[in-house]
Amino acid sequence: QAQLVESGGGSVQAGGSLRLSCVASGNPYSSNSMGWFRQAPGKEREGVAAIYRPGDSTYYAASVKGRFTISQDNAKNTVHLEMNSLKPDDTAIYYCAAAGRFSQAVTNLEESAFDYWGQGTQVTVSS
């Protein structure tokens, strides 16, 4: 059965770092693109970063570019999100997602491009 499981969330002070991981099993890891999304309280879910696995190309939201890094570990069927210089505005539930087909929508970090979703992991950044 297709499954995405996130880990690595937690609480950190502003300026700190966290590393999220997403382990995929079944169909999700045969998907050629993976992404991270987040949803803050009272806000819509938004795309954070995506990676096109065959070419290792990466895409970022403007709000996290230069601070967050998405990477993959094929041997472990895992995608990571390294988050540095965290801000209180980064507080949200972070979700891992997988897309079966690469498209412009993936590079634009659109939810509709992604077929599989994890349950999410909470990230809290205090000032």
Side-chain angles (χ1 to χ4, degrees):
Q1 187 173 351
Q3 192 173 21
L4 296 170
V5 180
E6 304 98 334
S7 63
S11 297
V12 65
Q13 289 191 325
S17 300
L18 283 173
R19 188 191 198 203
L20 305 183
S21 297
C22 172
V23 179
S25 60
N27 289 336
Y29 210 70
S30 66
S31 303
N32 64 18
S33 302
M34 303 284 290
W36 286 95
F37 288 73
R38 68 185 182 186
Q39 187 167 21
K43 295 187 177 181
E44 297 289 319
R45 188 155 59 182
E46 63 175 356
V48 175
I51 185 166
Y52 174 58
R53 293 180 47 236
D56 213 25
S57 300
T58 56
Y59 308 91
Y60 296 95
S63 59
V64 306
K65 199 167 187 178
R67 300 189 298 123
F68 290 12
T69 302
I70 187 171
S71 62
Q72 59 180 334
D73 182 343
N74 289 329
K76 297 181 180 179
N77 289 357
T78 301
V79 172
H80 302 288
L81 184 69
E82 186 76 34
M83 305 185 295
N84 297 315
S85 302
L86 283 161
K87 306 174 182 179
D89 284 348
D90 295 318
T91 295
I93 299 174
Y94 283 70
Y95 298 90
C96 176
R101 186 177 66 90
F102 182 71
S103 65
Q104 187 70 41
V106 170
T107 70
N108 291 338
L109 304 176
E110 296 176 19
E111 280 191 60
S112 60
F114 293 83
D115 308 294
Y116 303 98
W117 294 83
Q119 293 299 307
T121 185
Q122 177 71 47
V123 171
T124 302
V125 184
S126 58
S127 57

Short mmCIF file of all heavy atoms in Angstrom, two decimals, residues 2 4 22 24-25 27 30-31 33 42 52 57 69 71 75-76 92 102 111 113 115 117 120-121 124:
data_model
loop_
_atom_site.label_atom_id
_atom_site.label_comp_id
_atom_site.label_asym_id
_atom_site.label_seq_id
_atom_site.Cartn_x
_atom_site.Cartn_y
_atom_site.Cartn_z
N ALA A 2 0.49 2.22 -0.78
CA ALA A 2 1.27 3.45 -0.89
C ALA A 2 1.26 4.18 0.44
O ALA A 2 0.22 4.32 1.08
CB ALA A 2 0.67 4.33 -1.98
N LEU A 4 3.43 7.49 2.75
CA LEU A 4 4.47 8.49 2.99
C LEU A 4 4.45 8.81 4.47
O LEU A 4 3.39 9.13 5.02
CB LEU A 4 4.21 9.77 2.18
CG LEU A 4 4.23 9.66 0.66
CD1 LEU A 4 3.72 10.95 0.03
CD2 LEU A 4 5.62 9.34 0.16
N CYS A 22 11.09 12.15 4.92
CA CYS A 22 9.89 11.50 4.42
C CYS A 22 10.29 10.17 3.81
O CYS A 22 11.00 10.14 2.81
CB CYS A 22 9.21 12.38 3.37
SG CYS A 22 7.83 11.60 2.52
N ALA A 24 9.19 6.86 1.90
CA ALA A 24 8.13 6.44 0.99
C ALA A 24 8.18 4.94 0.77
O ALA A 24 9.25 4.35 0.65
CB ALA A 24 8.26 7.16 -0.34
N SER A 25 7.02 4.33 0.72
CA SER A 25 6.94 2.91 0.41
C SER A 25 5.83 2.68 -0.61
O SER A 25 4.89 3.48 -0.70
CB SER A 25 6.67 2.09 1.67
OG SER A 25 5.46 2.49 2.26
N ASN A 27 3.86 2.65 -4.04
CA ASN A 27 3.81 3.48 -5.24
C ASN A 27 4.48 4.85 -5.12
O ASN A 27 5.06 5.32 -6.09
CB ASN A 27 2.35 3.68 -5.68
CG ASN A 27 1.76 2.42 -6.24
OD1 ASN A 27 2.49 1.56 -6.73
ND2 ASN A 27 0.46 2.27 -6.18
N SER A 30 7.90 5.36 -6.54
CA SER A 30 8.07 5.23 -7.98
C SER A 30 7.69 6.52 -8.67
O SER A 30 7.91 6.67 -9.87
CB SER A 30 7.22 4.07 -8.50
OG SER A 30 5.84 4.37 -8.34
N SER A 31 7.11 7.45 -7.92
CA SER A 31 6.78 8.75 -8.48
C SER A 31 8.05 9.51 -8.80
O SER A 31 9.06 9.37 -8.10
CB SER A 31 5.95 9.56 -7.46
OG SER A 31 4.79 8.85 -7.10
N SER A 33 8.53 12.75 -8.86
CA SER A 33 8.71 14.04 -8.18
C SER A 33 8.16 13.93 -6.76
O SER A 33 7.15 13.29 -6.53
CB SER A 33 7.97 15.15 -8.92
OG SER A 33 8.42 15.26 -10.25
N GLY A 42 -4.99 28.64 10.26
CA GLY A 42 -5.82 29.65 9.63
C GLY A 42 -5.43 30.02 8.21
O GLY A 42 -5.98 30.95 7.63
N TYR A 52 12.63 16.97 -8.66
CA TYR A 52 12.43 16.05 -9.77
C TYR A 52 13.51 15.00 -9.66
O TYR A 52 14.69 15.29 -9.88
CB TYR A 52 12.52 16.81 -11.10
CG TYR A 52 12.45 15.92 -12.32
CD1 TYR A 52 11.35 15.08 -12.53
CD2 TYR A 52 13.47 15.94 -13.26
CE1 TYR A 52 11.29 14.28 -13.66
CE2 TYR A 52 13.41 15.14 -14.39
CZ TYR A 52 12.32 14.31 -14.59
OH TYR A 52 12.26 13.51 -15.71
N SER A 57 16.60 17.92 -10.00
CA SER A 57 16.30 19.35 -10.07
C SER A 57 15.41 19.73 -8.90
O SER A 57 14.54 18.97 -8.49
CB SER A 57 15.56 19.65 -11.38
OG SER A 57 16.36 19.30 -12.49
N THR A 69 16.57 23.37 1.99
CA THR A 69 17.15 22.54 0.94
C THR A 69 16.43 21.20 0.91
O THR A 69 16.35 20.51 1.93
CB THR A 69 18.64 22.30 1.17
OG1 THR A 69 19.33 23.55 1.24
CG2 THR A 69 19.24 21.47 0.04
N SER A 71 16.37 17.34 -0.63
CA SER A 71 17.31 16.39 -1.19
C SER A 71 16.70 15.00 -1.11
O SER A 71 15.70 14.78 -0.43
CB SER A 71 18.64 16.44 -0.43
OG SER A 71 18.46 16.08 0.92
N ALA A 75 18.72 5.27 -1.85
CA ALA A 75 18.98 3.99 -1.19
C ALA A 75 18.01 3.76 -0.03
O ALA A 75 17.71 2.62 0.32
CB ALA A 75 20.42 3.95 -0.70
N LYS A 76 17.54 4.85 0.56
CA LYS A 76 16.65 4.74 1.71
C LYS A 76 15.22 5.14 1.39
O LYS A 76 14.39 5.27 2.28
CB LYS A 76 17.19 5.59 2.87
CG LYS A 76 18.55 5.15 3.38
CD LYS A 76 19.01 6.02 4.53
CE LYS A 76 20.37 5.57 5.05
NZ LYS A 76 20.86 6.42 6.17
N ALA A 92 4.22 25.63 11.15
CA ALA A 92 3.16 25.01 10.35
C ALA A 92 3.25 23.50 10.50
O ALA A 92 4.21 22.97 11.06
CB ALA A 92 3.32 25.38 8.87
N PHE A 102 5.84 14.36 -13.79
CA PHE A 102 6.48 15.67 -13.71
C PHE A 102 5.74 16.63 -14.64
O PHE A 102 5.39 16.29 -15.76
CB PHE A 102 7.95 15.57 -14.11
CG PHE A 102 8.69 16.87 -14.02
CD1 PHE A 102 8.99 17.42 -12.79
CD2 PHE A 102 9.06 17.56 -15.16
CE1 PHE A 102 9.67 18.62 -12.68
CE2 PHE A 102 9.74 18.76 -15.08
CZ PHE A 102 10.04 19.29 -13.84
N GLU A 111 -0.58 22.04 -5.42
CA GLU A 111 -1.09 20.84 -4.76
C GLU A 111 -1.67 19.84 -5.74
O GLU A 111 -1.50 18.63 -5.58
CB GLU A 111 -2.20 21.23 -3.77
CG GLU A 111 -1.73 21.76 -2.46
CD GLU A 111 -2.87 21.85 -1.47
OE1 GLU A 111 -3.47 20.80 -1.19
OE2 GLU A 111 -3.15 22.96 -1.01
N ALA A 113 -0.84 18.86 -8.48
CA ALA A 113 0.13 18.04 -9.22
C ALA A 113 0.54 16.79 -8.44
O ALA A 113 1.13 15.87 -9.01
CB ALA A 113 1.37 18.86 -9.54
N ASP A 115 -0.07 13.39 -6.03
CA ASP A 115 -1.07 12.33 -5.92
C ASP A 115 -1.14 11.68 -4.55
O ASP A 115 -2.18 11.15 -4.16
CB ASP A 115 -0.77 11.24 -6.96
CG ASP A 115 -0.61 11.82 -8.35
OD1 ASP A 115 -1.62 12.33 -8.87
OD2 ASP A 115 0.51 11.77 -8.90
N TRP A 117 -0.04 11.78 -0.27
CA TRP A 117 0.27 12.72 0.80
C TRP A 117 0.54 11.97 2.10
O TRP A 117 -0.09 10.95 2.38
CB TRP A 117 -0.90 13.68 1.02
CG TRP A 117 -1.11 14.59 -0.14
CD1 TRP A 117 -1.80 14.32 -1.29
CD2 TRP A 117 -0.59 15.91 -0.28
NE1 TRP A 117 -1.74 15.40 -2.13
CE2 TRP A 117 -1.02 16.40 -1.53
CE3 TRP A 117 0.18 16.74 0.53
CZ2 TRP A 117 -0.68 17.67 -2.00
CZ3 TRP A 117 0.51 18.00 0.08
CH2 TRP A 117 0.08 18.46 -1.17
N GLY A 120 1.70 14.45 7.89
CA GLY A 120 2.20 15.73 8.36
C GLY A 120 3.00 15.64 9.64
O GLY A 120 2.80 14.71 10.44
N THR A 121 3.88 16.62 9.83
CA THR A 121 4.67 16.72 11.06
C THR A 121 4.72 18.19 11.47
O THR A 121 4.89 19.07 10.62
CB THR A 121 6.08 16.13 10.87
OG1 THR A 121 6.79 16.15 12.12
CG2 THR A 121 6.90 16.90 9.83
N THR A 124 7.35 24.05 14.97
CA THR A 124 7.02 25.26 15.72
C THR A 124 8.30 26.06 15.95
O THR A 124 9.27 25.53 16.50
CB THR A 124 6.38 24.92 17.07
OG1 THR A 124 5.20 24.13 16.84
CG2 THR A 124 6.00 26.19 17.82
#
